[in-house]
Amino acid sequence: MTKYFSSFAISVDYSNGKISGIAPIQRHLVDLKNHFFDRKVVEEMLSSGLNPLIYEVYEAFQPSEPGHLNFGTTVLNPGKIGEEYFFTKGHHHVRDCGETYSFFKGKGIFLLQTKNGETAEMPLEAGTTIYVPPGWAHRMVNVGKEELISIFCYDAAAGHDYGSIERTGFAKLVVERKDKTQIIGNPFFRRSDKKWTLGEVT
Ligand code: S6P
Ligand code: ZN
């Protein structure tokens, strides 16, 4: 017999992405130390006690079974580590499913890639809605001066695979060079054994 759960409403503050009654998951630099390209800057910052808050996720979790949806907001702060703009870790879903993101504040780049090596990038601003099809890893990058804020929604049974991205990296990096935002190839993509240093970016 189908088990029905109660409906409910949440209140999102569209000025800052906070959802009342939900404690955010916080990701600081230390949580992304294996994701940023310039490991030397990461190590210098952490060893001198600098551990900025990169982003927060306010998520209304449902039972992780088919039929339910998880939804919430992501608030990605502005900033850079070396030349590379702040970003979310990025992940595949364990059980392939689609996901939507609707952006209502800030400016960014959305990065997608499949395990077969296909990639896609999309510019983000208030009003942009992204559809992430099943099979595509996804990451957002904040290239603006204010928070990049979005609402997401995905299958509650999807699960998250962060390990694949941690091992391979993203195929594309988003950096500021010569006062310009640039999307460049990651020369160490799929080279998790390699010690990254910024001087080696080509
Ligand atoms: C979950 C959905 C978002 C992200 C959030 C942070 O499938 O994509 O809730 O969790 O945007 O990104 P990440 O890569 O750290 O989970
Ligand atoms: Zn996702």
Side-chain angles (χ1 to χ4, degrees):
M1 191 201 288
T2 306
K3 186 175 173 190
Y4 291 100
F5 292 81
S6 302
S7 53
F8 64 95
I10 56 169
S11 178
V12 178
D13 183 333
Y14 281 85
S15 69
N16 58 23
K18 292 182 193 301
I19 299 180
S20 61
I22 295 182
I25 296 162
Q26 297 191 317
R27 300 278 182 237
H28 292 83
L29 176 59
V30 71
D31 304 308
L32 286 97
K33 65 180 185 202
N34 296 325
H35 295 76
F36 281 106
F37 183 82
D38 194 333
R39 303 294 168 93
K40 195 163 166 273
V41 170
V42 171
E43 279 161 26
E44 281 168 3
M45 287 179 71
L46 292 176
S47 60
S48 57
L50 291 173
N51 185 23
L53 176 64
I54 310 286
Y55 60 97
E56 292 185 306
V57 182
Y58 296 79
E59 185 153 1
F61 289 105
Q62 309 309 312
S64 48
E65 48 192 65
H68 283 288
L69 298 171
N70 285 343
F71 61 101
T73 57
T74 305
V75 182
L76 175 57
N77 287 328
K80 284 182 295 169
I81 300 299
E83 293 183 319
E84 195 173 18
Y85 294 100
F86 283 6
F87 52 62
T88 55
K89 270 188 183 185
H91 55 264
H92 283 276
H93 288 284
V94 177
R95 178 177 176 272
D96 274 345
C97 69
E99 179 164 358
T100 61
Y101 280 90
S102 293
F103 289 82
F104 55 89
K105 185 177 176 185
K107 200 175 155 212
I109 307 277
F110 204 83
L111 299 177
L112 299 116
Q113 67 188 41
T114 66
K115 290 184 176 171
N116 295 331
E118 298 151 287
T119 62
E121 306 100 42
M122 294 172 196
L124 304 171
E125 60 183 10
T128 307
T129 293
I130 300 278
Y131 176 59
V132 181
W136 289 77
H138 40 286
R139 160 179 288 173
M140 66 184 87
V141 184
N142 186 345
V143 303
K145 303 261 181 267
E146 57 183 2
E147 297 97 337
L148 178 66
I149 308 181
S150 56
I151 284 194
F152 58 84
C153 183
Y154 67 103
D155 184 337
H160 292 81
D161 166 18
Y162 289 101
S164 302
I165 293 302
E166 193 161 348
R167 279 190 295 280
T168 65
F170 262 75
K172 299 287 174 66
L173 306 175
V174 186
V175 298
E176 185 181 65
R177 284 194 182 158
K178 298 177 184 162
D179 295 328
K180 287 208 172 89
T181 297
Q182 299 188 27
I183 301 173
I184 61 172
N186 177 358
F188 305 124
F189 178 51
R190 295 190 171 133
R191 292 284 307 277
S192 58
D193 56 320
K194 181 90 171 108
K195 274 265 179 210
W196 295 355
T197 61
L198 194 62
E200 292 172 287
V201 180
T202 52

